[in-house]
Amino acid sequence: MPVFRRRHLCSVAAALALTVTVPATAATAAAPGSSAALREVLFVGNNWDGTADVIRSTGDFAKIGRINVIPDKDERMAAINADPIKWIYFMAIRNSVGEGHDQFVDDMYSTPDGTSVVVSRPSFADVVSIDLASGRLNWRFPVSGYRSDHMAVSPDGKRVAVSASTSNTVHVLDIVSGKELGKFGTGDKPHENIFTQDGKYIYNMAIGDVNTQTDAPWLDWTKGDRRITVVDATTYKQVKVIDMRPQLDALGLKDHSDAVRPAVFSPDESKLYFQVSFFNGFFEYDIATDKITRTKTLPENPATSDDRTTFVNDSRHHGISMSPDGRKLCVAGTMDDYATVVDRATLQEGPLVTASKPYWATVSGDGKSCVVSESGTDQVTAIDFATGKKVVSVPVGDHPQRVRLGKVQADWTSPSAG
């Protein structure tokens, strides 16, 4: 076990869930109607910078370029300063989930043709599309309420779902035009969204109030309505609601939160692996039987305080992904300053790879590595799924959070605005 290193407490916007990523090559065929070849990359959202670094999706994960995701900052700030209610929420975000910093990028996905990237911007309560060649905005969609959060893209790449965390709403947008195609209601503080592989359903995880100090188990009821809402991805009508409270109670885990955070499906989508607030571990949930089938508790860092009010946005471990073959899980042990690969069959963890406040986990383009964002040291780190050992770390911008696979045109370079 590596020596744990205690880092300063870093704020991160609440985050959750990753879908399984299918391996792809670094360069792909041209999109229909386009003569340009596409290159697969990883987009790294630097939340406090208001930038997104573009890095290689495999190999040395070297930096390719950078995008400014707030080219309209002056215009947005003028609008916020002119509206007292917007200003109050803007400052509340800065002084709560932002811990003194503005949240300029939460999530991002590229368009299928690799010409644009769509970004949710919590402090600006919107979603924007940015032209990758010029760095200018294509469109802007203000979400309902006062804060945007996690997104998900449909399997065909044509729709993007975004959580509007203060209005308990998920908006579904056309990724090219920004037009709203539909919306649906959720529990309190909608967070992560996941499309099923066939594109028929959307899962939304509502995590409740994570910024209050009522973190003791006996005060858990104050956190709000936390549930998974499953909707039809065509009609946006509710199909079912999954409540983990009775599941946890049945296992004698009444002191565990039922706020589902990051989650990932098994390749056949029969199982859901998910993290919850305050817990150093994860659960396995069987979709067909509606039961939690296994619980995995991961090691605690002896230097980590047991005071739950010190956990970033109620997170202890936040970030989980799965190798494309479904054999390994990768877990970001956020407050415990490590990441580890877990064998899915045995639930035995591998080496604890030292990492500073890792807050997201995704899969490399070739499927061989887990890539975690280290928000405490402004870098991303790749860990080999086969060995569980660190491969490489790459410096990025201030406070990296979400990391997503995407595409750019093969000859792309940073726009002048970036």
Side-chain angles (χ1 to χ4, degrees):
M1 180 186 301
V3 177
F4 286 102
R5 296 176 296 170
R6 185 64 179 161
R7 306 288 182 182
H8 64 281
L9 183 63
C10 297
S11 163
V12 185
L16 72 195
L18 271 179
T19 52
V20 174
T21 304
V22 178
T25 56
T28 61
S34 169
S35 60
L38 300 179
R39 181 181 189 180
E40 185 185 71
V41 297
L42 282 166
F43 289 91
V44 182
N46 304 311
N47 195 20
W48 296 350
D49 260 357
T51 63
D53 281 310
V54 182
I55 65 175
R56 293 178 181 174
S57 65
T58 60
D60 61 3
F61 299 92
K63 183 177 176 179
I64 297 170
R66 173 171 286 186
I67 306 158
N68 174 17
V69 303
I70 49 172
D72 58 336
K73 181 179 179 181
D74 291 345
E75 181 183 353
R76 296 275 65 78
M77 290 306 304
I80 289 167
N81 290 329
D83 186 320
I85 302 300
K86 289 182 178 179
W87 184 87
I88 289 170
Y89 272 94
F90 179 85
M91 295 304 295
I93 292 169
R94 175 185 290 177
N95 293 312
S96 58
V97 293
E99 285 192 294
H101 299 267
D102 299 321
Q103 295 193 309
F104 289 132
V105 49
D106 187 277
D107 216 341
M108 73 240 99
Y109 287 97
S110 60
T111 54
D113 63 4
T115 62
S116 302
V117 62
V118 175
V119 182
S120 61
R121 307 188 300 183
S123 287
F124 290 161
D126 63 13
V127 182
V128 295
S129 173
I130 299 172
D131 183 88
L132 286 168
S134 69
R136 294 190 291 268
L137 296 189
N138 296 313
W139 53 258
R140 174 177 180 262
F141 179 87
V143 301
S144 55
Y146 299 95
R147 186 177 182 275
S148 56
D149 201 49
H150 285 236
M151 300 196 299
V153 71
S154 58
D156 62 7
K158 295 181 179 180
R159 294 173 293 164
V160 62
V162 58
S163 289
S165 56
T166 66
S167 68
N168 298 347
T169 302
V170 171
H171 301 276
V172 183
L173 313 177
D174 181 283
I175 202 168
V176 174
S177 69
K179 178 183 178 181
E180 183 177 57
L181 303 174
K183 62 183 178 181
F184 59 91
T186 66
D188 291 333
K189 301 297 189 296
H191 191 50
E192 185 62 13
N193 298 289
I194 306 176
F195 277 89
T196 54
Q197 293 177 35
D198 58 11
K200 291 183 177 180
Y201 302 102
I202 304 171
Y203 280 64
N204 174 266
M205 287 66 171
I207 60 173
D209 294 312
V210 299
N211 307 122
T212 66
Q213 295 296 299
T214 55
D215 294 340
W218 71 275
L219 292 171
D220 188 65
W221 60 273
T222 66
K223 295 292 186 176
D225 177 16
R226 294 151 298 172
R227 54 187 164 97
I228 300 175
T229 301
V230 185
V231 301
D232 184 296
T234 301
T235 65
Y236 308 111
K237 301 296 184 182
Q238 182 177 297
V239 175
K240 65 178 177 179
V241 170
I242 302 172
D243 184 357
M244 291 299 178
R245 182 74 273 151
Q247 306 281 347
L248 294 166
D249 291 350
L251 296 172
L253 300 176
K254 294 185 178 182
D255 61 339
H256 281 54
S257 171
D258 60 353
V260 175
R261 310 299 290 263
V264 61
F265 278 110
S266 59
D268 63 1
E269 295 187 333
S270 66
K271 300 286 194 301
L272 184 72
Y273 296 84
F274 66 92
Q275 297 163 310
V276 299
S277 293
F278 308 116
F279 180 48
N280 51 299
F282 60 88
F283 297 95
E284 176 189 78
Y285 170 78
D286 185 83
I287 301 293
T289 62
D290 186 30
K291 292 185 182 299
I292 293 175
T293 46
R294 290 192 293 175
T295 303
K296 174 61 178 178
T297 303
L298 285 163
E300 297 182 2
N301 182 338
T304 299
S305 172
D306 289 328
D307 179 359
R308 287 160 52 130
T309 65
T310 66
F311 296 174
V312 176
N313 297 322
D314 290 357
S315 303
R316 178 136 192 184
H317 286 189
H318 191 285
I320 187 168
S321 63
M322 185 180 293
S323 60
D325 61 11
R327 295 177 59 191
K328 301 289 181 66
L329 290 154
C330 178
V331 179
T334 310
M335 299 307 300
D336 291 298
D337 285 335
Y338 69 76
T340 188
V341 172
V342 178
D343 184 276
R344 185 176 158 218
T346 65
L347 296 189
Q348 177 60 51
E349 70 271 13
L352 304 184
V353 178
T354 300
S356 180
K357 299 298 180 292
Y359 221 81
W360 197 249
T362 191
V363 180
S364 62
D366 58 11
K368 295 180 180 180
S369 300
C370 166
V371 181
V372 298
S373 58
E374 294 193 54
S375 62
T377 48
D378 297 340
Q379 63 183 8
V380 294
T381 294
I383 300 169
D384 185 75
F385 272 119
T387 66
K389 295 181 179 180
K390 175 179 172 177
V391 177
V392 68
S393 292
V394 179
V396 292
D398 192 10
H399 207 266
Q401 290 186 203
R402 218 70 58 235
V403 183
R404 300 290 194 187
L405 276 172
K407 295 175 182 177
V408 298
Q409 295 194 351
D411 59 353
W412 179 82
T413 57
S414 298
S416 58

